[in-house]
Amino acid sequence: MSVQESAFHGFANPVDPSPAELRAWAYQPDSVPLTSMPPDWDLLVSGDRLVTTLFDLAMDTRCPARRFALHCLYIYAADGIRTNFRAHPKRRFRKLVDQAERNGDELMRTWAHNSRVLLTRPELFVYREWCEGGLVRENRRL
């Protein structure tokens, strides 16, 4: 039985979900609606511990929570770049961007492009676009 086929019954600790819980939820997001999550849950899960899982979910065009995962990748990129990579390892960030450019679809290539632009021009950071989902909703290149 795959993760997509198994029933998801909720998070043991929604503030600190495991990668397996996040993956299971992403394929059944209606089982625990985002509105029932803690405030700023997107910011809470957008760290190093879950970024690989979020990246895999964002790369999966069949994932129902793909746009949420992509939104979290925008948060992760902005957080790393704006802290000069004190918040997240630059090497991991670059590997994700490279992989998105090589193997991603248009949404993921746009994320990679925008991340590279922000890396060279951090003054282009706008909270609404990077942390409130604006770039995901618009799928716009900077």
Side-chain angles (χ1 to χ4, degrees):
M1 182 181 270
S2 74
V3 171
Q4 291 101 332
E5 295 167 352
S6 63
F8 179 66
H9 301 290
F11 297 98
N13 179 0
V15 174
D16 188 24
S18 71
E21 287 175 328
L22 185 62
R23 184 177 301 282
W25 169 80
Y27 288 97
Q28 297 180 359
D30 294 336
S31 62
V32 181
L34 279 174
T35 55
S36 71
M37 296 300 191
D40 297 324
W41 191 61
D42 53 349
L43 301 175
L44 293 172
V45 301
S46 297
D48 289 318
R49 184 168 171 265
L50 295 172
V51 73
T52 304
T53 302
L54 290 164
F55 185 82
D56 292 345
L57 296 170
M59 289 286 283
D60 184 355
T61 60
R62 296 165 295 139
C63 178
R66 179 181 191 216
R67 290 174 65 83
F68 174 79
L70 180 60
H71 163 63
C72 291
L73 290 179
Y74 272 101
I75 293 170
Y76 182 85
D79 195 30
I81 293 166
R82 294 185 68 236
T83 63
N84 200 25
F85 295 98
R86 287 184 302 276
H88 308 299
K90 189 173 191 176
R91 184 170 183 241
R92 176 179 287 160
F93 166 75
R94 286 192 181 271
K95 286 174 83 172
L96 294 173
V97 168
D98 290 345
Q99 188 175 349
E101 287 172 337
R102 275 192 323 273
N103 304 322
D105 66 355
E106 187 58 31
L107 282 177
M108 291 303 291
R109 287 192 305 272
T110 298
W111 169 76
H113 169 83
N114 289 344
S115 295
R116 286 197 188 276
V117 169
L118 190 64
L119 187 59
T120 60
R121 299 190 53 208
E123 72 275 8
L124 293 179
F125 173 79
V126 175
Y127 188 86
R128 184 194 74 73
E129 291 183 340
W130 287 84
C131 299
E132 292 182 347
L135 289 171
V136 174
R137 282 189 298 278
E138 298 166 11
N139 189 32
R140 175 174 69 78
R141 286 181 172 243
L142 297 177

